[in-house]
Structure formats: C-alpha cells, structure tokens
Amino acid sequence: MGLVTDLVPFSTLLTDEGQALLAALRDYDPAQELAVASRLRREHPVGLVTAALTQARLRQRAVAKFGAADAQRMFFTPNGVEQATRSSVAAYRAGRFAALGVRSVADLCSGIGGDAIALARAGISVLAVDRDPQTAEVARANAEALGLAELIEVRCADVTEIDTGAYDAVFVDPARRGGRGRIFDPEAYSPPLSWAIGAARTRPHAALKIAPGIPHEAVPDDAEAEWISDGGDVKEAVLWFGTRPGTVGATLLPGPRSLTGRGLPDPEVREVGRFLYEPDGAVIRAHLVAEVAEELDGGLLDETIAYITADELRPTPYATAYEITDELPFGLKKLKALLREREVGNLTVKKRGSAIEPEELRRKVKPKGPNAATVFLTRVAGAPTMLIGRPA
C-alpha cells in the first residue's frame, strides 16, 4: 500500500479540503481512530479521510526526528519516516558543507527531502533526486510546505543517470533496506557503495551516508570517515571526500563535539580502578577508545571490551563515568544478596562480553527497595565479572 491509498492520489492532501482535514487531525488520538474516522466520513470522502488519518499518524511518528513544528507541516511515507535522517544530524552535516564553501549540492537518493531541507536552510541550493515518483512528489511538497522551494529542485530519476557536473558537491544516501530488512553488505546498497564512491570522486566535495557498522577496511584511503551519534545513540557513518583523507573521527550531538583519531595503540589492560567509563557508541565504532583512555589516564578492563577504567574522575563528553563500589566474580546468588543488602530496587544493567541479557538478570535477582545501582556484566582480564556502581 502506498502513502495514502490506491484510490486517492497524494495530491488530494494538498487541496484546501485535504489541508483542513490534516489541521483538524493535528492532535488526534490514534486510539480513537474509529470514532474520529466515522465522524469525518460524514463530511468528507472516505478515501480522503483514510489518507489524512494515515498522514496524521506518520506526522506523529516523525516528531521524534523532525520536531513538532516541522513534522506537523511536512508530508511522509512510511519508509520516509523510517529512513530519513534525524534533523539534528542533517543540520550538522549541512553546516559542514557550508563551512567548506559549498553552494550547490546534488542530493542523490533524497527520499522525502530531510537532508535537502537542512542543506537549503544552510543557504545551499539543492537538486534532490529520487527514483520513486511518490517519494519525489512528497519531497516536492515538503520543500513547498517549509518555504524552501526556490532552493530545492526535486527530480524523479535514476541517480546513476544524473549529471552532477554543475554542482559543487554530491551527497549520496543509498538505500540500506531491502525486502528482507536491513542490508549489511555495502555492495548490496542501492546504488552500491562502489558507485557512490565513484560519484563522490567526480566533485570537489562529497559525503556518503553509510551504516555505522561498515568495516573500517571498506573505507577508501582518500576518504575521511566520521561516525555520528545524537543523544548517545549512534545514527550513521559518513564518508567525506575533499576534506581530510585518511582521517577517522567521532562526532557527538548535540554540540557538536568531535574527536579525531591519532593512530594510538590499544590501551593496556589494568586492574579495576575507582571509576569505569563507558565510551559513546560513535567513539567505539570509530575505534577511538584509545584516544579517550589516554585523555582519562585509564586502561581497559579487558583487551576485547570497550570499557575504560581509571583512578580519577575526569569529565569528558566522549564517555559516561560511573563510580565502582564493588567487584564480584559472576554469580547471580552473590549479586542478589548484595542488592538485597543494599535495598536496591532501581537496577540498571549494562553488559559487554556477557551472554546474559539484562531483562533475564532483572527477572532472576528481583531487585526491591528504595535505592538505585548500576551493574556491569563484563570481563576483567578475561574473567566473567560483575561491577556494581553508580553514575559519577
């Protein structure tokens, strides 16, 4: 099924009647959909009501990525909501393009236009290209709805047939989902990563959005690789061309805070100190744990696990600090007894290098009481270990 229904074209939502319906549904409760639909169908065509209700649900889902102000003016497809770049990440990337002096970008695989919108708001003119007619139509409507139509040209076409020679830069966001879900092989992207890299090399500047799990060995020598997290969640990796070839970095939003790799050797494994640091996911994906460990004068709990331990508390944006109060060999009975003694009812469970799942552990230890604690299920120098502590 498409964005609306097979019976009602998307353009119907752009009419005065469609817009009035959407405005009326701005704050509607999906749990009351049957009653709302029945009421609206007495005054509007059935297909249009169905289309408007679908769009209202998508707008509510999109608030998390685009914010309420934009989400309630924009239009979405189910895939568009799922795959669009979070607006904070898109704005950061657009800012990088602007700082490079880029004035025009060919946005290939533009989807519903999330990145094109951010680029246009940074003062950059954009050619937004998507091969799906309905998605292109939605992107065009979004440019209009946000007052950016003069800066965004939307074209429905195969990106591999687009001449990008007139543009300062290209941005490529290949499709990384197929009929069976997420695609992990970069050459199975649509278009393949190799094609995107070739397109990137034709312009002075380029950025390719890729999955954060991409192997480091798949990064070309002439690219800068940047892993981006927002609010502690890793969102994507980006290959930049025409910037700093061979550089690896992690950028944390909001901020931005950026850490650049210096090719440090792996930190040494050491005994558990007073503090444990959990690096941000972008730092881990970028293989920059050594850089953070050096900043903290710390070492690793285990050579294969990205937990840093140190004796001093040193605030850093790149890792979350916990004060460790107890170190125990792994054993649920011991943990249950300790939590009961401490009257811990609010238990946060974190794990690296342990097979047990957090929910399973909570179920078995049955935490109860007014106090809070964090337990780390991990390995210390190869031995299964439980570390108990609290945020520092």
Side-chain angles (χ1 to χ4, degrees):
M1 184 178 289
L3 166 66
V4 288
T5 68
D6 293 334
L7 303 176
V8 179
F10 168 70
S11 57
T12 309
L13 288 173
L14 305 179
T15 64
D16 289 344
E17 184 179 12
Q19 293 283 42
L21 256 181
L22 286 172
L25 290 168
R26 179 184 176 100
D27 298 315
Y28 103 104
D29 180 359
Q32 305 297 318
E33 182 166 318
L34 283 178
V36 173
S38 297
R39 174 173 56 80
L40 292 176
R41 284 168 181 163
R42 291 195 288 268
E43 302 173 8
H44 305 280
V46 172
L48 180 58
V49 171
T50 302
L53 285 167
T54 299
Q55 191 59 231
R57 288 195 302 272
L58 293 174
R59 283 180 167 182
Q60 290 182 1
R61 284 173 53 194
V63 168
K65 281 191 174 182
F66 290 90
D70 281 353
Q72 293 298 342
R73 289 190 291 165
M74 292 173 66
F75 299 89
F76 300 95
T77 67
N79 285 341
V81 172
E82 181 73 24
Q83 298 175 13
T85 303
R86 183 181 289 259
S87 61
S88 54
V89 178
Y92 163 73
R93 182 165 43 243
R96 278 205 65 176
F97 269 125
L100 291 168
V102 168
R103 306 304 302 160
S104 61
V105 171
D107 178 2
L108 308 180
C109 311
S110 61
I112 60 167
D115 281 283
I117 289 165
L119 289 164
R121 284 175 167 168
I124 296 170
S125 63
V126 186
L127 170 66
V129 184
D130 200 281
R131 68 181 179 184
D132 179 68
Q134 189 175 64
T135 301
E137 191 176 2
V138 170
R140 193 173 291 112
N142 285 334
E144 290 279 357
L146 298 179
L148 299 169
E150 290 187 4
L151 283 170
I152 301 174
E153 175 194 349
V154 179
R155 191 179 302 174
C156 182
D158 185 329
V159 297
T160 64
E161 298 175 0
I162 295 295
D163 180 2
T164 60
Y167 298 87
D168 296 337
V170 297
F171 171 65
V172 190
D173 181 6
R176 295 178 299 283
R177 287 184 179 273
R180 297 183 178 180
R182 199 179 301 273
I183 295 171
F184 296 97
D185 177 9
E187 284 308 294
Y189 292 175
S190 180
L193 181 59
S194 58
W195 179 89
I197 290 171
R201 288 170 173 159
T202 66
R203 307 311 311 135
H205 299 289
L208 313 181
K209 177 181 170 180
I210 54 177
I214 186 170
H216 280 232
E217 54 268 24
V219 176
D221 291 341
D222 57 338
E224 169 194 347
E226 179 184 33
W227 278 261
I228 301 173
S229 69
D230 187 14
D233 296 327
V234 183
K235 293 302 177 184
E236 63 186 55
V238 184
L239 300 183
W240 289 92
F241 292 80
T243 54
R244 302 176 294 172
T247 299
V248 175
T251 295
L252 282 55
L253 303 176
R257 303 276 193 153
S258 294
L259 180 67
T260 301
R262 290 180 282 120
L264 298 180
D266 291 340
E268 292 184 358
V269 175
R270 51 154 291 178
E271 62 183 17
V272 179
R274 183 178 175 186
F275 297 96
L276 180 149
Y277 291 84
E278 182 181 25
D280 184 272
V283 169
I284 296 172
R285 294 280 195 172
H287 296 180
L288 300 182
V289 173
E291 279 74 4
V292 177
E294 183 181 73
E295 176 185 324
L296 299 171
D297 193 22
L300 298 181
L301 294 174
D302 183 275
E303 63 180 5
T304 64
I305 295 175
Y307 281 144
I308 298 169
T309 185
D311 297 319
E312 296 180 14
L313 179 61
R314 298 184 184 181
T316 173
Y318 304 113
T320 303
Y322 297 83
E323 184 175 12
I324 299 303
T325 57
D326 300 88
E327 176 185 357
L328 301 171
F330 181 81
L332 294 180
K333 287 184 179 180
K334 294 178 182 178
L335 178 61
K336 188 173 183 178
L338 185 144
L339 296 177
R340 185 168 58 244
E341 177 188 328
R342 305 273 174 87
E343 297 184 304
V344 172
N346 183 3
L347 182 65
T348 300
V349 183
K350 293 178 172 288
K351 57 169 259 180
R352 287 193 185 279
S354 173
I356 192 167
E357 292 299 325
E359 285 307 318
E360 179 186 357
L361 182 133
R362 282 195 196 89
R363 198 164 52 246
K364 290 183 175 180
V365 301
K366 299 181 176 67
K368 186 177 180 180
N371 299 321
T374 300
V375 59
F376 294 87
L377 307 177
T378 188
R379 293 194 303 270
V380 173
T385 302
M386 301 180 299
L387 300 175
I388 293 89
R390 54 181 172 259

